[in-house]
Amino acid sequence: MSDKEAFTEHDWRRLLTSLGENPDRPGLIETPARVTKAWKHWTSGYDQNPVEVLKAFEDGAEEYNELIVVRGIPVYSHCEHHLAPFFGKATVGYLPNGKIVGLSKLTRLVDIFSKRLQVQERMTMQIANALMEVLEPKAVGVVIKCRHLCMESRGIRAIGEETITSTLLGELQPNLALRTEFLALTRD
C-alpha cells in the first residue's frame, strides 16, 4: 500500500473528531498511535504464509494412524462487515498420512487466518484447506465456536449466542465412525 493510501494517525484523529470527541483531551492524545499499532497487530495475518508455518515432520509419524486433535485454540478476529471483534475457540484435528506437524503450528495456523478481516465460515474453511493442502493427511476437521460483537452490541443484540462452524475434509466426510469420533473430541 502506498503512503497516500495508508490509514494514518491523522485519520484516527479525524474519526475521533467525527464522533464528537476532542482528540487533544488527555485520555485521547495517544489513542491514534495506540489504535494504529493495535490494527497492525490485529491484521498481521496478511503478512504470514500458512505454508511456512506448517513444517511437517516424518520422524516417528509414519506409523501413527489415529486422530490428532488440538482444542481450545483461542480465536480473536474482526468481522469484515462491521470491523467488530468476534472471539471464541477453535478445534483443529487431522488424521496423518505419514507426516505430522508440531502441535503449536495448529495454533499458529488459526492465528494467521484470524488476524485478517474475516467471516467465520470462510476462516474455518481456510484453516482446513491449508492443513489439507500442506500436510496431505487422510482427513482434516476444524470446528470454531465464536461470539460476535456485531450481533451482541448492535442490531439484534443476541447476547451470549455462539456461532459454530465446521469444515470436515477427506475421510471425515464419508466415514461416519471417524466423523463421530472427531466431533466427540471437539466437545467440552
Side-chain angles (χ1 to χ4, degrees):
M1 179 183 323
S2 74
D3 287 338
K4 289 182 181 181
E5 295 176 21
F7 205 81
T8 67
E9 291 179 28
H10 174 75
D11 296 306
W12 290 113
R13 286 180 55 81
R14 284 184 42 236
L15 175 67
L16 291 171
T17 301
S18 75
L19 297 174
E21 271 292 352
N22 174 6
D24 294 318
R25 75 174 170 85
L28 292 176
I29 288 175
E30 294 181 32
T31 297
R34 286 189 201 110
V35 174
T36 299
K37 185 177 179 182
W39 274 103
K40 283 181 184 173
H41 173 75
W42 291 332
T43 59
S44 62
Y46 291 112
D47 297 327
Q48 298 175 348
N49 183 346
V51 173
E52 293 173 8
V53 168
L54 291 173
K55 180 184 172 195
F57 300 103
E58 296 184 24
D59 52 344
E62 55 278 346
E63 300 290 324
Y64 192 82
N65 62 356
E66 298 292 332
L67 285 168
I68 299 170
V69 178
V70 177
R71 38 180 232 189
I73 301 170
V75 173
Y76 295 99
S77 193
H78 287 82
C79 101
E80 65 185 35
H81 301 133
H82 302 97
L83 302 183
F86 66 94
F87 60 94
K89 300 212 180 272
T91 298
V92 178
Y94 67 99
L95 183 60
N97 191 17
K99 294 186 281 189
I100 61 171
V101 68
L103 298 175
S104 67
K105 304 306 184 203
L106 299 179
T107 299
R108 290 206 45 215
L109 183 63
V110 170
D111 196 53
I112 286 171
F113 287 111
S114 66
K115 286 185 176 165
R116 299 175 181 189
L117 299 180
Q118 283 288 12
V119 294
Q120 183 175 329
E121 298 87 344
R122 181 179 60 237
M123 180 175 62
T124 306
M125 290 186 304
Q126 288 174 327
I127 294 165
N129 287 333
L131 192 55
M132 184 62 100
E133 289 170 20
V134 176
L135 204 56
E136 299 175 332
K138 295 176 185 174
V140 169
V142 176
V143 175
I144 299 179
K145 299 177 185 180
C146 286
R147 291 175 55 188
H148 292 252
L149 289 187
C150 59
M151 283 178 41
E152 290 194 26
S153 65
R154 54 165 299 282
I156 193 167
R157 298 188 62 121
I159 297 168
E161 289 184 1
E162 284 184 321
T163 300
I164 303 171
T165 53
S166 66
T167 299
L168 305 174
L169 303 175
E171 291 183 20
L172 280 172
Q173 289 179 339
N175 186 327
L176 182 58
L178 186 62
R179 181 186 195 107
T180 301
E181 179 184 357
F182 172 74
L183 292 175
L185 290 171
T186 68
R187 292 187 188 96
D188 295 332

